Amino acid sequence: MQPFNYLIADTLDAALAEYAENRPVLKAGGIDLVDRMKERLATPAVVLSLGEVEVLRYIEPEGEGVRLGCLTTLADIGRSELLNSRYAALAESAGHAATPQVRERATLGGNLCQRPRCWYFRAIHFHCLKKGGATCFAVEGENQYHAVLGGGPCHIVHPSNCAPPLVAMEALFVVRRAGAEERVIPAREFFVLPSSALDRENVLAPGEILTEVRIPRAPDQSATIELREKQSFDWPLAMASVARVDGRRWNVCLGAVAPVPWVSEEAAEVLGSADITPELAARAGEAAAQAAQPMSDNGYKTQLIKVAVKRALLKAAGQEVPA
Amino acid sequence: MKQKQSRPGETGFSRRGFLKGVGGAVGAAAVVSRVLEAPGLARADEITREGIRRVPAEGLEITLHVNGQERPVTVRPDQTLLEVLREQLGLTGTKEICDRGACGGCTVLLDGRSINSCLMLAVDAAGHEVRTVEGLVQDGRLDPVQQAFVDSDACQCGYCIPGFVVRSRALLDEFPNATPQQIRDGLAGNICRCAAYARIFEAVQTAAAGGNG
């Protein structure tokens, strides 16, 4: 790592003021940032640590829902009885991300704000579109892990596996900025496609810090299915989170197949608020995969979308899920 | 959830310690100026905000709590806990293998939880209890997990084994009677390139069945 000055915030207010004024690079658990610094992809002169702001570490039931501080670790989300029993879609994906050791340090906020894992983005020798270059190397190159939805021009998949369940459960993201009221953003509006911004993956403006995730109402049913090549230290090839909130219609959100957590309106349309049958679940999967536009090596993801959606719906409904 | 064990007066670095460090930083101009003059950023030695502590790029003396001992050590922000344990504290039981959090070879306990020391900055460990594989030995007696690895002959080249042992300790602290599935899931962050998995699994099962001490 290149040398840097390190600032450790003891309070959120101090962090917000420092971040607004001097724009250091933010660090929570450091799982993503330390990796990028080791690769010289990030060479900040000043890093601001949020890791000691203990007040951002909580899982608190509130009303019909729950509030999660953004420094809550993935391990603690995975351990939480409350989240496992009532917010299964989130507990399952957080509790199985990466490795047990990574999950002890990885935070919810960091998981949602981590940079993409595309191998061209992560390799310093490729001056790709996202890094300010002219080309998305995935188009002509090795694209088996890239997006099949989203339309480019950069074909990353969003790396967060906590995002799809939160979008499906209609979570709200709370954003703070020095001297301003909190900004509350629906999870599905937090992430941005490369067609609107290439240098970032979300709507956070300079000086803004994601501090809390609120799920206003526990879903009636929810589940996540991740389909993986390896079971450990890997990102899913495709995932689907589904949730039915307040007896209303099903939400279906896909992960690892688009540059943002991908809301499938097509699948939701097929499902309405109906009770799940194996036939209906399969039709929803077909609908979710309809818009997929694979590149040379990632056509298999179209099939994985169908399977993930179908299995997630069956799991949420408490029905038998094929192994 | 276990609480972070911060002990007043004993934490790794205090506000006063920081001020002393900052004073030292101003003197060590040659090394520092390159970093401080980074364009577009306030000079780090001008940052005096309440609620912000500063570790200058050229380092600061902090105290790490490692294996029950207080170890004063001068660390730079860009040094990982792994690097400081091995290179400065001589605790070479913790291994550097992938250096990216993928292999588990650098696993240590931080306040009883297993973490990758290669992805953790050493300064972030101040105020926490660090335990390495060396620290599992109590009064000259191997930890039951270590003994089970010996009894099962659970290693080939052995380089990954400290990571497996430390991770297994954390796993059995959380699930004293871990099921075979909990052991498999729990060790998913450790890789053995000799593929001695069968005996490693057997050792952890033995430790779990033996009440793991």
Side-chain angles (χ1 to χ4, degrees), chain B residues 20-197:
Chain B
K20 279 189 341 208
V22 171
V26 175
V31 191
V32 187
S33 57
R34 182 167 50 91
V35 176
L36 294 187
E37 286 163 11
L41 284 155
R43 283 170 54 94
D45 59 353
E46 288 169 359
I47 296 168
T48 53
R49 195 181 300 281
E50 179 70 22
I52 300 277
R53 287 172 287 152
R54 186 175 90 87
V55 187
E58 82 285 2
L60 192 67
E61 184 174 311
I62 63 171
T63 301
L64 292 179
H65 297 276
V66 184
N67 298 335
Q69 293 182 325
E70 294 194 9
R71 304 290 300 265
V73 61
T74 299
V75 301
R76 298 190 316 272
D78 62 291
Q79 287 181 293
T80 61
L81 178 59
L82 171 64
E83 185 183 338
V84 170
L85 288 172
R86 287 181 57 85
E87 308 291 332
Q88 285 171 255
L89 299 180
L91 294 167
T92 52
T94 307
K95 303 303 185 204
E96 176 177 335
I97 306 178
C98 77
D99 201 31
R100 294 293 187 279
C103 73
C106 68
T107 304
V108 300
L109 301 181
L110 186 81
D111 300 331
R113 298 274 173 82
S114 52
I115 61 129
N116 298 117
S117 60
C118 73
L119 289 181
M120 178 161 192
L121 303 183
V123 287
D124 285 343
H128 297 268
E129 286 288 345
V130 179
R131 194 163 290 274
T132 68
V133 69
E134 291 92 342
L136 295 184
V137 178
Q138 299 283 341
D139 304 323
R141 289 190 54 209
L142 293 180
D143 184 275
V145 172
Q146 292 172 309
Q147 191 61 53
F149 271 69
V150 173
D151 294 344
S152 296
D153 192 16
C155 82
Q156 289 190 35
C157 90
Y159 206 72
C160 67
I161 296 301
F164 269 100
V165 167
V166 174
R167 171 59 197 144
S168 301
R169 181 68 267 157
L171 177 70
L172 295 181
D173 284 342
E174 189 169 3
F175 306 107
N177 305 108
T179 62
Q181 191 57 46
Q182 282 173 323
I183 295 172
R184 284 191 195 95
D185 290 345
L187 297 183
N190 294 73
I191 291 173
C192 170
R193 278 294 173 240
C194 307
Y197 294 113

Side-chain angles (χ1 to χ4, degrees), chain A residues 1-11 13-15 17-19 21-24 27-32 34-35 37-39 44-49 51-52 54 57 73 75-76 79 96 98-105 230-233, chain B residues 1 4 13 15 18 32 34-36 38 40-42 44 47 49-58 76-80 99-104 107 110 113-116 118-121 123-124 126 128 163 167 174 185-190:
Chain A
M1 278 181 273
Q2 178 179 290
F4 56 89
N5 286 285
Y6 195 47
L7 306 176
I8 302 168
D10 287 322
T11 65
D13 283 342
E18 184 59 42
Y19 190 45
E21 203 168 304
N22 294 309
R23 303 289 149 71
K27 181 173 100 44
I31 299 294
D32 173 31
V34 171
D35 186 74
M37 290 198 295
K38 286 184 177 186
E39 297 293 336
V46 182
V47 173
L48 173 61
S49 168
E52 301 293 321
E54 288 292 326
R57 223 180 278 277
T73 62
D76 284 337
R79 283 186 186 105
H96 290 94
T99 70
Q101 288 95 317
V102 167
R103 295 195 292 271
E104 293 288 6
R105 294 284 298 163
K230 295 192 296 173
Q231 298 308 305
S232 180
F233 203 75
Chain B
M1 188 162 96
K4 191 179 91 179
F13 48 97
R15 238 167 261 281
F18 260 80
V32 187
R34 182 167 50 91
V35 176
L36 294 187
L41 284 155
I47 296 168
R49 195 181 300 281
E50 179 70 22
I52 300 277
R53 287 172 287 152
R54 186 175 90 87
V55 187
E58 82 285 2
R76 298 190 316 272
D78 62 291
Q79 287 181 293
T80 61
D99 201 31
R100 294 293 187 279
C103 73
T107 304
L110 186 81
R113 298 274 173 82
S114 52
I115 61 129
N116 298 117
C118 73
L119 289 181
M120 178 161 192
L121 303 183
V123 287
D124 285 343
H128 297 268
R167 171 59 197 144
E174 189 169 3
D185 290 345
L187 297 183
N190 294 73

